[in-house]
Amino acid sequence: MQKIRNIAVIAHVDHGKTTLVDGLLEQSGTFGSHEQHDERAMDSNDLEKERGITILSKNTAIRYKDHKINIIDTPGHADFGGEVERVLKMVDGVLVLVDAYEGVMPQTKFVVKKMLALGKKPIVVINKIDKPSAEPDRVVDEMFDLFADMGATDEQQDFPVIYAAARDGIAKLDMDEEGGDFQCIFETILEHVPEPEGSPENDFQAQVFTLDYDNYVGKIGISRIFNGKVHKGDNIMLAKADGEMVKGKISKLIGFMGLNRMEIEQAEAGDIVAFAGMETVDVGDTVADPVNPVALDPMHVEEPTLTVVFAVNDSPLAGKEGKHVTSNKLKDRLEAEMTTNVAMKLEVVGEGKFKVSGRGELQITVLAENMRREDFEFSISRPEVITKEIEGVKCEPFEHLVIDVPEELGGSVIERLGKRKAEMKSMMPMGQGFQRIEFEIPARALIGFRGQFLTDTKGEGIMNHSFLEFRPFSGAVESRSYGALVSMTAGSTLGFSLFGIQDRGALFIGVQTEVYEGMIVGEHSRQNDLVVNPIKGKAQSNVRSSGADEAIKLIPPRDMSLERALEWIEDDELLEVTPKMIRIRKKFLTESERKRNSRK
Ligand SMILES: Nc1nc2c(ncn2[C@@H]2O[C@H](COP(=O)(O)OP(=O)(O)OP(=O)(O)O)[C@@H](O)[C@H]2O)c(=O)[nH]1
Ligand SMILES: [Mg+2]
């Protein structure tokens, strides 16, 4: 039997998980010396590369001495927290990373809680010790306290600590040591992570934790084998979560090593492999012995907390920029997404209207961003949180929010959050004039807060949040404090008119931009909406004022990314998303329609 260790790398966003996995691949010699690879090689899809974040968990394997170590890199962003929970069931140990300056953050708490509850054995890696502001001792203490607060067992509490600068390939067991490499990480894994349980002699049992799709072989289920052996071509039974049993056959068996996938002939208990050939496979299914199929415990999938409505684009510019614009196309694409993305749900809510639910705005914008790259065109509505009844009480999701702000701004941020029903939990100095303040806040109140927060802190503030729990509904919260600047007409914008409008607020568009009646061109500096004409040219006059035109100085428009725009809009507004543009508009395009509907 192969000697195997299975680990997951978990942490708050950006604490260096994928960078650490790079180092593990590199220093185990798994990347051949001739092999070219990008930085953060595991972040392989386009959006991951562009944004520098991990969106999907991915597995790899390395060889160290006579062991195979399967490693699953997980996303740190709170919206993808559900992935982490599933992955944790598949491994026997974890590397918990924590930034040597930032310390324990909301998602650190989330992943540590899940990991402890599942009885995993942790190895704590204090990463980024090269940062001048690093305080490794403080962060070790924070981790120790966190484990204790979350009810770690004595064994879990007694975690080994590794100090690392993953980016530089440095790791050591003692801060005072000079240099150091990843050898100590490999050795600690072999020593502290338990061997996989289960036996190759038992009946076959594997559980699918991620789905993938390949144009040649179709749906692929990436799975951990808990018992037995499997060969290419074997008949199996697929035990579905609802108890249904579906006969199947493994048409291809795929193994992992470094960044490569290869066809293999057989695999056995303890390993992580992928199966092709089962078209009906879902996350959580057990791939079992055909004669004596025994299902493993079903997987818990976190329920969505946020919904938006995707709809057919009906703006005056509809169909000009995208290829796939019909209700059917939209429906097919969204349905396809749901087959591989277990964290999301889809419901048809009207003609050409689809309610998509997920864990947060980032998860939803990632889907929208992928779709616009595939030449889709559609509209999205304002995100709404999902409420549910618990013992007869209407409840809504609450989040744990941590902000780091310059000390002099702390007061104003606290006041702003107070209006949004946030409850302050703690405050501590962070050095370098910064202060860390923790809150509990309804998820609803966080929608639209980020933009405000960045403006209030002149971009210096950092905020992080992650799901806490459902709690009783907290009543009305403050929403956007400013109205919209709405175009009264269609055409191409002119500098002259934008110059006049920019005194009224912040523009989202520049000159020579196609607009239509009801499209939003900026944020008003007051609370009400203001209808403006952005295409008006300069009035003709007989007197030519020399050089007056050159005097027009336009402030650069505020860049409204998909996320920012989605956070910004109100209930009576929509985003129009096309491969070329993201436009913000009123649901009702004419002023008279808006008036009529607001009276209702
Ligand atoms: N100074 C310093 N920066 C590091 C170190 N390790 C990683 N980084 C940087 O931290 C940033 C985030 O690194 P990633 O490896 O993408 O972090 P991650 O935890 O995988 O992030 P998510 O997957 O999005 O949660 C990158 O810019 C890295 O270059 C380190 O040891 N020192
Ligand atoms: Mg990553």
Side-chain angles (χ1 to χ4, degrees):
M1 195 179 155
Q2 280 203 88
K3 291 183 178 166
I4 294 179
R5 293 289 188 277
N6 293 311
I7 59 161
V9 188
I10 59 175
H12 185 74
V13 68
D14 260 5
H15 282 191
K17 297 173 290 297
T18 308
T19 306
L20 184 92
V21 175
D22 264 2
L24 294 170
L25 287 163
E26 191 103 43
Q27 295 198 27
S28 63
T30 308
F31 282 150
S33 50
H34 58 280
E35 208 172 339
Q36 288 287 321
H37 62 89
D38 295 336
E39 217 170 89
R40 280 172 273 137
M42 297 286 283
D43 284 347
S44 49
N45 78 43
D46 286 350
L47 275 187
E48 289 182 323
K49 286 208 184 87
E50 270 167 41
R51 292 169 180 244
I53 58 164
T54 305
I55 295 169
L56 298 168
S57 56
K58 283 177 231 64
N59 58 301
T60 182
I62 61 171
R63 286 209 176 281
Y64 178 73
K65 293 187 174 163
D66 54 348
H67 281 74
K68 178 180 186 188
I69 306 176
N70 289 311
I71 304 166
I72 311 181
D73 181 26
T74 66
H77 194 284
D79 284 17
F80 310 115
E83 292 257 315
V84 181
E85 193 171 3
R86 264 183 289 131
V87 162
L88 284 172
K89 267 194 85 180
M90 302 296 124
V91 295
D92 309 297
V94 293
L95 296 179
V96 193
L97 265 67
V98 58
D99 182 299
Y101 164 71
E102 285 192 355
V104 170
M105 292 299 270
Q107 200 63 6
T108 318
K109 289 193 180 174
F110 179 88
V111 297
V112 165
K113 188 168 159 192
K114 298 286 178 196
M115 174 272 290
L116 293 174
L118 286 164
K120 303 296 162 187
K121 286 200 69 182
I123 297 167
V124 170
V125 180
I126 310 290
N127 190 32
K128 308 199 188 184
I129 53 169
D130 59 292
K131 277 188 174 176
S133 53
E135 292 181 75
D137 292 341
R138 184 200 86 217
V139 174
V140 171
D141 287 347
E142 283 181 24
M143 288 300 270
F144 198 82
D145 292 347
L146 177 66
F147 276 57
D149 286 350
M150 298 207 155
T153 61
D154 290 350
E155 214 189 353
Q156 289 171 323
Q157 186 79 54
D158 193 20
F159 52 80
V161 177
I162 295 171
Y163 300 90
R167 203 186 47 191
D168 309 326
I170 290 172
K172 50 194 167 190
L173 297 171
D174 185 343
M175 255 323 264
D176 298 331
E177 232 174 274
E178 281 292 311
D181 62 23
F182 280 20
Q183 187 90 8
C184 63
I185 305 183
F186 298 123
E187 291 295 335
T188 309
I189 292 170
L190 295 198
E191 192 181 328
H192 283 268
V193 176
E195 275 177 43
E197 288 178 2
S199 158
E201 310 312 324
N202 296 344
D203 285 336
F204 185 63
Q205 271 184 318
Q207 194 162 33
V208 180
F209 66 94
T210 302
L211 294 178
D212 204 349
Y213 190 84
D214 180 295
N215 282 334
Y216 297 101
V217 297
K219 234 171 165 183
I220 295 172
I222 304 177
S223 319
R224 156 88 190 257
I225 307 176
F226 287 93
N227 274 303
K229 288 195 192 78
V230 63
H231 303 87
K232 178 182 171 180
D234 275 359
N235 290 317
I236 50 94
M237 191 69 87
L238 201 57
K240 316 281 298 174
D242 60 4
E244 195 193 347
M245 294 282 179
V246 184
K247 278 190 190 149
K249 190 183 172 96
I250 307 289
S251 68
K252 273 204 173 101
L253 199 55
I254 300 157
F256 299 88
M257 187 50 67
L259 301 178
N260 302 317
R261 292 176 173 203
M262 67 290 279
E263 267 198 59
I264 52 176
E265 293 302 316
Q266 73 143 26
E268 61 183 35
D271 213 350
I272 292 175
V273 296
F275 304 117
M278 306 174 296
E279 276 314 305
T280 57
V281 67
D282 284 312
V283 165
D285 288 356
T286 305
V287 187
D289 184 89
V291 183
N292 182 25
V294 180
L296 291 157
D297 288 343
M299 247 177 228
H300 169 70
V301 177
E302 293 264 336
E303 51 194 322
T305 53
L306 199 75
T307 68
V308 303
V309 174
F310 280 61
V312 170
N313 183 17
D314 64 356
S315 102
L317 298 176
K320 292 202 172 146
E321 290 160 8
K323 253 198 249 155
H324 310 306
V325 296
T326 63
S327 175
N328 278 340
K329 286 274 183 193
L330 207 53
K331 180 158 179 270
D332 289 349
R333 175 61 181 85
L334 292 171
E335 277 174 349
E337 182 72 20
M338 304 305 138
T339 62
T340 53
N341 193 339
V342 284
M344 292 184 115
K345 290 210 168 70
L346 177 68
E347 191 189 333
V348 182
V349 286
E351 182 61 32
K353 286 202 167 105
F354 309 94
K355 197 185 228 181
V356 175
S357 318
R359 292 291 288 180
E361 283 152 81
L362 181 63
Q363 192 176 47
I364 284 162
T365 44
V366 162
L367 170 61
E369 188 62 46
N370 278 326
M371 286 172 65
R372 69 189 281 246
R373 282 162 199 237
E374 296 160 21
D375 271 333
F376 279 86
E377 199 178 295
F378 49 91
S379 74
I380 347 187
S381 69
R382 176 176 208 246
E384 271 178 43
V385 304
I386 294 173
T387 56
K388 68 174 187 182
E389 289 232 340
I390 302 174
E391 289 164 6
V393 182
K394 183 178 172 191
C395 292
E396 64 174 332
F398 270 67
E399 302 265 326
H400 171 213
L401 169 71
V402 175
I403 60 164
D404 287 351
V405 285
E407 265 154 25
E408 66 276 13
L409 298 176
S412 64
V413 173
I414 292 171
E415 194 187 322
R416 182 81 77 180
L417 281 163
K419 288 190 187 148
R420 288 181 180 254
K421 298 257 159 67
E423 196 184 320
M424 190 170 100
K425 287 292 167 187
S426 72
M427 194 192 296
M428 74 168 188
M430 284 296 284
Q432 303 184 333
F434 270 70
Q435 197 173 33
R436 171 166 298 177
I437 316 174
E438 304 198 24
F439 301 86
E440 290 175 3
I441 182 170
R444 201 160 37 102
L446 274 176
I447 297 174
F449 175 68
R450 187 180 298 268
Q452 182 77 59
F453 176 71
L454 290 176
T455 311
D456 289 351
T457 62
K458 301 184 183 62
E460 278 201 85
I462 300 171
M463 65 177 267
N464 277 285
H465 55 95
S466 87
F467 176 70
L468 205 57
E469 61 186 354
F470 276 87
R471 286 188 189 166
F473 192 74
S474 61
V477 296
E478 188 186 65
S479 58
R480 196 173 81 205
S481 7
Y482 304 105
L485 297 171
V486 187
S487 175
M488 61 170 67
T489 177
S492 180
T493 55
L494 288 174
F496 175 76
S497 50
L498 293 184
F499 184 72
I501 298 169
Q502 71 182 8
D503 289 341
R504 302 305 201 101
L507 287 170
F508 299 159
I509 53 157
V511 288
Q512 288 177 1
T513 306
E514 188 87 352
V515 297
Y516 50 80
E517 180 174 13
M519 180 169 149
I520 294 172
V521 298
E523 181 178 82
H524 192 196
S525 52
R526 295 169 180 235
Q527 210 161 5
N528 62 316
D529 290 347
L530 183 71
V531 173
V532 296
N533 182 351
I535 69 162
K536 190 171 56 183
K538 195 175 164 191
Q540 293 294 323
S541 74
N542 297 331
V543 191
R544 286 221 161 265
S545 52
S546 63
D549 275 346
E550 285 95 273
I552 287 186
K553 269 239 158 61
L554 286 178
I555 300 164
R558 186 192 289 174
D559 184 24
M560 294 300 270
S561 64
L562 192 51
E563 273 105 316
R564 228 173 147 182
L566 190 64
E567 285 223 315
W568 188 84
I569 57 174
E570 289 287 336
D571 285 339
D572 63 338
E573 296 161 354
L574 291 174
L575 289 192
E576 178 188 355
V577 183
T578 81
K580 293 211 175 75
M581 297 289 284
I582 291 158
R583 300 190 185 88
I584 309 177
R585 56 169 279 196
K586 286 286 171 188
K587 270 186 187 158
F588 297 105
L589 295 178
T590 64
E591 207 177 359
S592 58
E593 268 182 303
R594 289 198 291 276
K595 286 221 171 94
R596 207 176 319 128
N597 277 280
S598 69
R599 231 177 286 138
K600 270 185 205 157

